[in-house]
Amino acid sequence: MRVLVTGGAGYIGSVVAAQLVDVGHEVTVLDDLSTGHEDAVPEGARFVRGDIREPGAALDGVEAVLHFAARSLVGESVEQPGRYWAHNLGGTLALLDAMRAKDVRRIVFSSTAATYGEPERSPIVEDAPTRPTNPYGASKLAVDTALTAFAGMYGLGAVSLRYFNVAGAYGRFRERHAVETHLIPNVLKVALGERPSVSVFGTDYPTPDGTCVRDYIHVADLARAHLLALEACAPGSHQIFNLGNGTGFSVKEVIEVCREVTGHEIPAIVGDRRPGDPAVLVASSDKIQRELGWKPEHTAMRGIVGDAWAALSGK
Ligand code: UFG
């Protein structure tokens, strides 16, 4: 299939683009390189540097779009909400218009667990209430709402995948953010000698060890779900699936695994809670397992951290 991957020079987009190339799809990556890296575009994919608002010829002959390009920092979204509405919602609406104009009828969209906000029940299922607690989650939820409308009105076939905490690496493709806020890369930077210590944001949560619990999914498993979602796009329908491992790990547990994997003591300093962090976020991925036959293969935290460490350190 001829596919367009927006944000394919970023962490998750580049892994999905690599897997699409591997199974024989004809891949064009559209990325403005605001946060991505041109050298992350996989071999075998065509690269177009540009904005999702004006995809132009990048959409010619395309049968499906996998849409990753977005702003994705929760904290930044609280400080600069306009940026999130403009990029994530405005940008996607412009992309959807361009797709209609060129008769592109399938889209797989990167949604997020942040659309749910503070959960009432764990693990989180897809029909749980959506009450995002920050503009990032709200902007992604707005796109999900628009996709439902576009599917009903124009016959678009759409699938939204709601990611929980994506981690690990796929060969050389790894997380490389200019401003790193995520736990695992921050911890590994200590082992690499790039940071003196890691901060633990709060130890007074109502969890077994007092630190936040998250559901870490290996980027290779996550990417594989996109290939299934692409096949599952059906005209006139918008399907939503959660993607996680179904198991929670606390911040302290993650740091401990990083110590085991790297052999570094990794000093950890207890700090205040980070505003907006829910205590526990764990996905139910039953729906995608049942309906699309997806199954995570890399569920052990040791393997997830091991792959991230190998890509980061070259060891
Ligand atoms: N944490 C630390 N120290 C750090 C970094 C993080 O203690 O240096 C803690 C956080 O407080 C949180 C946990 O580690 O409890 C995980 O934090 P991340 O920043 O790695 O991930 P989040 O759970 O905040 O965010 C992820 C995605 C978001 C998505 C969200 C869904 O990165 O895009 O899950 O709720 F919106």
Side-chain angles (χ1 to χ4, degrees):
M1 204 183 296
R2 196 181 277 191
V3 298
L4 180 70
V5 179
T6 75
Y11 170 45
I12 299 169
S14 65
V15 176
V16 175
Q19 291 194 358
L20 288 164
V21 169
D22 285 350
V23 299
H25 292 287
E26 199 179 317
V27 178
T28 298
V29 164
L30 175 67
D31 198 302
D32 65 3
L33 299 185
S34 56
T35 53
H37 308 269
E38 189 169 347
D39 63 8
V41 176
E43 294 75 18
R46 184 169 76 103
F47 176 58
V48 176
R49 183 171 185 173
D51 195 305
I52 52 167
R53 292 180 191 87
E54 292 169 15
L59 267 179
D60 288 350
V62 161
E63 292 157 85
V65 172
L66 294 105
H67 178 34
F68 300 91
R71 302 249 144 214
S72 63
L73 298 177
V74 170
E76 183 189 60
S77 81
V78 174
E79 283 155 23
Q80 301 182 48
R83 206 171 190 186
Y84 279 70
W85 290 109
H87 279 262
N88 294 359
L89 180 60
T92 305
L93 291 176
L95 176 67
L96 288 171
D97 279 344
M99 287 172 62
R100 276 187 64 214
K102 300 230 164 146
D103 204 26
V104 182
R105 292 163 174 267
R106 293 182 188 210
I107 185 166
V108 178
F109 174 61
S110 299
S111 188
T112 170
T115 53
Y116 295 111
E118 186 81 46
E120 278 170 11
R121 293 208 181 91
S122 188
I124 301 173
V125 291
E126 288 80 354
D127 53 10
T130 42
R131 299 189 199 111
T133 52
N134 53 65
Y136 167 63
S139 68
K140 289 278 185 173
L141 180 61
V143 172
D144 281 343
T145 309
L147 288 174
T148 304
F150 273 60
M153 184 60 77
Y154 306 122
L156 186 72
V159 175
S160 291
L161 298 176
R162 290 189 171 157
Y163 312 159
F164 283 63
N165 290 61
V166 188
Y170 181 67
R172 70 181 180 90
F173 303 102
R174 62 175 176 87
E175 252 176 299
R176 269 198 285 167
H177 300 118
V179 182
E180 192 51 77
T181 62
H182 292 135
L183 179 65
I184 293 176
N186 272 347
V187 177
L188 294 180
K189 276 171 186 245
V190 180
L192 209 58
E194 291 183 8
R195 285 172 174 237
S197 60
V198 65
S199 300
V200 176
F201 298 145
T203 51
D204 58 349
Y205 284 95
T207 59
D209 67 16
T211 64
C212 287
V213 169
R214 293 288 181 273
D215 181 333
Y216 295 86
I217 173 169
H218 194 293
V219 68
D221 284 334
L222 181 93
R224 224 166 10 85
H226 290 73
L227 275 69
L228 297 171
L230 181 61
E231 302 302 327
C233 287
S237 102
H238 176 214
Q239 305 168 72
I240 296 176
F241 299 105
N242 288 345
L243 269 180
N245 271 327
T247 311
F249 291 89
S250 73
V251 172
K252 280 186 178 167
E253 286 171 331
V254 169
I255 295 173
E256 199 45 52
V257 173
C258 291
R259 289 182 177 129
E260 286 165 20
V261 167
T262 63
H264 190 286
E265 60 178 321
I266 308 182
I269 293 170
V270 173
D272 291 339
R273 287 184 177 198
R274 189 171 66 176
D277 273 345
V280 179
L281 283 178
V282 177
S284 163
S285 296
D286 288 356
K287 186 179 174 198
I288 192 164
Q289 299 206 23
R290 197 173 57 240
E291 296 186 13
L292 303 191
W294 176 80
K295 215 173 160 27
E297 287 173 3
H298 310 271
T299 49
M301 181 53 73
R302 233 192 134 88
I304 293 174
V305 169
D307 287 351
W309 178 239
L312 184 67
S313 66
K315 284 175 193 161

